[in-house]
Amino acid sequence: NNELFADKYATALSWCVDFLCDQSAINGSRWFGVIDPERVGMLGHSIGASAAALAAATDVRVRALALLSPVETHPSPVSAIEKCHVPVLLLASPEDIAQGLKGVTSPMYDAVAPPKQLHLLHNGSSQFFPDGMLLGHRHRRQLKDTQLTLLGFFDTYLRDAKLSLAPPPKPGAAGAAGGVAGGGATGGG
């Protein structure tokens, strides 16, 4: 969909990283000493996932990238992900009616260099990622599984700085270290 211009969002995500890294160096800032500029992760959902891929393709500070149900935008996240040389986690539902697995997620997975992971959420939906309202058992289960998967991924690549993919996280896993800039969207599926 050429109406979705993710490059503006990608620029804003890099500005967020600039801001947090700058604030982490200012004594008296609420972020003082909290952000490690050497361990920046980026996370996005829908249009925000595409923007995060675009940002990570050019921002060398990004050390790990997690994308939840990315959508096609202009410029294309599929082309951008080829330039990403960081661990990438893609989460999507094959049943998703928006663009689903074949639309963007599979081509992105094929285009990115390892290490990479693709998690398919059967009986899930891209609409289940936001947690502002719970829609029932399936929604709660997807949120829990997604949170554990993201924590395990970011812990592995930002906290431990390991070079291999982590096994599925166990319930009660610790939180991720480093900074995570997120890109969200309200629509685009």
Side-chain angles (χ1 to χ4, degrees):
N1 183 349
N2 288 337
E3 296 173 8
L4 303 176
F5 293 96
D7 54 339
K8 293 179 184 178
Y9 297 119
T11 301
L13 284 172
S14 286
W15 288 344
C16 289
V17 174
D18 291 341
F19 174 79
L20 290 171
C21 290
D22 290 347
Q23 290 295 307
S24 185
I26 298 172
N27 193 2
S29 165
R30 74 179 292 187
W31 300 108
F32 179 69
V34 173
I35 306 299
D36 182 348
E38 298 297 318
R39 298 195 234 184
V40 173
M42 200 165 278
L43 163 70
H45 169 241
S46 188
I47 299 167
S50 301
L54 291 166
T58 59
D59 194 329
V60 296
R61 298 168 298 181
V62 177
R63 306 290 185 179
L65 178 63
L67 308 173
L68 313 177
S69 295
V71 296
E72 187 58 69
T73 59
H74 181 77
S76 173
V78 178
S79 299
I81 199 109
E82 293 174 350
K83 300 174 188 139
C84 292
H85 298 287
V86 300
V88 173
L89 169 66
L90 287 149
L91 285 94
S93 172
E95 294 89 10
D96 209 338
I97 55 174
Q99 292 191 26
L101 187 61
K102 294 179 183 174
V104 179
T105 305
S106 285
M108 287 181 80
Y109 182 77
D110 292 341
V112 72
K116 59 185 177 178
Q117 284 184 329
L118 173 60
H119 287 244
L120 300 179
L121 305 167
H122 295 282
N123 295 316
S125 168
S126 68
Q127 302 305 315
F128 286 2
F129 288 122
D131 63 0
M133 61 179 188
L134 294 177
L135 302 176
H137 176 72
R138 284 185 14 194
H139 186 181
R140 285 190 299 274
R141 183 77 214 158
Q142 180 175 319
L143 282 175
K144 182 178 179 183
D145 291 346
T146 300
Q147 289 167 348
L148 291 174
T149 300
L150 290 170
L151 287 172
F153 176 77
F154 284 121
D155 273 353
T156 297
Y157 292 105
L158 299 180
R159 179 176 295 184
D160 298 334
K162 294 178 185 175
L163 296 178
S164 62
L165 291 177
K170 296 178 184 175
V180 178
T186 58

